Amino acid sequence: MEVNSIKAAADQDLKTKWWTDARFGMFIHWGLYAIPAKGEWIMYAERTPVQEYEKWAAQFNPTKFNANAWVKLAKDAGMRYIVITAKHHDGFAMFHSRSDTYNIVDATPFGRDPMLELAEACKEAGIALCFYYSHVIDWHHPDSMHKEHNNTWDYNQEEKQFSKYWHGKVKPQLTELLTEYGRVGLLWFDTAGGLSEENSRDIVQHVRNLQPDCLINSRVSHIMGMGDYVSKGDNEIGMSGEDTRPWETPMTLNQSWGYTTKDQVWKSTESLLHKLVNVIGKGGNLLLNVGPSPEGTIPELSADRLREVGEWTHRNAEAIYGTTGSPFPCELTWGAVTTKPGRVYLHIHNDKWPEHEVRVHGIRNRITRAYMLADPNQRELKVVQTYEVSLDLYTLILEVPSQPSDTHVSVLVLELAGENDFDPTLTQQPYGGFQLDVPWAKVTDVHTVEDLDTSRIIRSAEWTFTLVRPGTYELMLVSYKRYDATWEGLYPEEIEIDTTGAQMVCAPSEDAVDTDSPACQHPYTPILSKLGEITWEEAGTYRLTLRSSKLKDPAPRFTEIWHADAVKLRAIRLVRVGE
């Protein structure tokens, strides 16, 4: 059994390798909803009757659509695959579907199949074409049934027969997508709420039968382990160590997915690059979204952002594509790390550029050469390596130029002697705070608290870590608070902290917003709660335990809905007093 499990994992790694090597993809949300320009959920948000919504099909004529231009923009940005909405929740097919005439060829004056044109353009450019398909939500079909988001203004829930929708539309349309458009890199399913395990397995097998190498994302089902890789929540960047399977962050350039004229909260080029290196530094992929106009063009502001990102990705391709994430189990305050055999890449944010040197703990290899990736002459940088026996601590000291070598993020290359050899223990890195992320803790159930109306499980998170710099540290709880939540009552009991020679019990308060969080973004705000101070007199190995009902089950059966919780307990941050 164990041998079979190892072989299955190896086969899975080979299957997903093209995708994990790609690291960066383009997401495209495009459909009839581009016409009202209020986002892709407009039909549901305004309870638009089917007959009224269908009228937009008669107006949809994106004559400026140019598949080659879209693919070129993706390539210019450094993206290596495209995921486009073949059918979103409104039920309208953006391809020529023979099984349902409610599609862009049969129901619009445009009369062309943009998916077919994209398939040809992607094949010519060497870009993998992938399809988004809303398999459970379909507000146009009378028998589509989701656990929450249904068309209840046109259809009676009690009269729905889901099997008619499933076998009459979903599976036939997936057959069309997987047999008429060449190789499909992956199918991106969305919001499977309420889908049975039987139907989940049915749709996975249906895809496997038609294109065995086509990847399937985890949103095909709400049951853990489905699909080939993990799709995080919308705009969710995972924490260090959070996912053991390949994973991605689907992210928008602003806060909307479909074309809208209202949302003008755009991410800067610097912000996008910081997020890109943060994601790939944790071993993930970034799937960055654009929302084309009803005319068929990608808005120029979006295109400009992508080209600016592309200028950087092309210069730093070696440190992005085909890399693995950081070997160190912690967030790095100055940027991120990626690796390849014989190489380590330090992605340093320009606004965190050090004055004289960079220090890193945990690289056991001898460094044979170091230089700036953007330096065409690859001028060697001075390297000093030390080893402290008492802490089993390897330290790299690297002299750096006085100024960054690139825009926004500058990459340092370390060439290693021998096979990559890194210290995997949770060790305090130089600079800034030392964060104990929940995924690196051992989480166990402690007891259950019964209230009048609810019950909750108190869990314990225990970290074992190496403290390099002794002293007094302020402990801060790192929480993500949803944008529409108020703090009062989010933590129903006091937080308990135990560590060597010290204990504390306190109710978390909303003390500060972390304006420099590498992972938190809309719809959450990162909140810091001061818990108290602890003094460690000596460097060494310590344990710290936190108890709270907000710690998640370490082995859940169902996938978490990213924006479901009003608050998420993410980490304990140790900030050395006086720095």
Side-chain angles (χ1 to χ4, degrees), residues 85-87 92-108 110-117 131 133 172-181:
T85 48
K87 177 177 83 79
F92 185 76
M94 293 294 288
F95 62 100
H96 192 195
S97 174
R98 274 72 172 180
S99 56
D100 190 335
T101 57
Y102 191 51
N103 69 74
I104 193 169
V105 175
D106 296 323
T108 77
F110 185 57
R112 287 160 48 192
D113 186 341
M115 301 300 108
L116 190 60
E117 294 175 30
F131 293 126
Y133 188 88
Q173 286 195 333
L174 289 174
T175 299
E176 292 166 349
L177 290 171
L178 292 168
T179 57
E180 299 178 17
Y181 296 88

Side-chain angles (χ1 to χ4, degrees), residues 139 216 241 274 349 364 381 425 429 498 500 544 562 579:
W139 301 314
I216 300 170
H274 285 184
H349 299 172
R364 293 167 170 158
L381 304 174
T425 60
Q429 291 287 345
D498 288 317
T500 308
L544 186 145
W562 166 237
E579 294 185 353

Side-chain angles (χ1 to χ4, degrees), residues 219-378:
R219 295 196 191 185
V220 69
S221 176
H222 60 292
I223 298 169
M224 295 293 290
M226 290 284 189
D228 299 299
Y229 70 91
V230 176
S231 286
K232 306 296 288 184
D234 295 351
N235 293 302
E236 177 190 7
I237 296 179
M239 298 195 74
S240 171
E242 191 167 48
D243 293 286
T244 57
R245 293 200 295 159
W247 62 275
E248 73 178 359
T249 289
M251 184 188 296
T252 58
L253 277 167
N254 47 356
Q255 292 183 352
S256 300
W257 300 89
Y259 180 75
T260 176
T261 53
K262 284 188 174 183
D263 178 7
Q264 298 299 318
V265 183
W266 297 92
K267 296 176 178 68
S268 67
T269 303
E270 179 180 69
S271 173
L272 289 169
L273 288 174
H274 285 184
K275 293 177 190 303
L276 172 63
V277 301
N278 186 266
V279 169
I280 64 175
K282 294 171 180 172
N285 282 27
L286 180 63
L287 184 61
L288 188 59
N289 182 74
V290 294
S293 71
E295 293 76 32
T297 60
I298 294 176
E300 197 56 35
L301 183 55
S302 297
D304 287 344
R305 284 283 192 277
L306 294 184
R307 293 188 190 102
E308 289 165 3
V309 167
E311 291 175 5
W312 187 90
T313 58
H314 286 290
R315 280 195 302 272
N316 295 281
E318 178 188 331
I320 303 169
Y321 310 111
T323 61
T324 55
S326 172
F328 309 122
C330 59
E331 296 272 6
L332 298 166
T333 58
W334 45 260
V337 175
T338 57
T339 69
K340 283 181 178 176
R343 295 282 193 281
V344 173
Y345 304 96
L346 310 180
H347 303 249
I348 302 177
H349 299 172
N350 284 2
D351 59 357
K352 301 292 179 63
W353 190 255
E355 289 187 13
H356 305 293
E357 64 185 29
V358 170
R359 289 178 177 246
V360 179
H361 297 316
I363 301 176
R364 293 167 170 158
N365 299 83
R366 180 174 61 86
I367 309 300
T368 59
R369 195 161 72 106
Y371 53 91
M372 304 300 303
L373 187 55
D375 179 3
N377 299 316
Q378 294 189 358

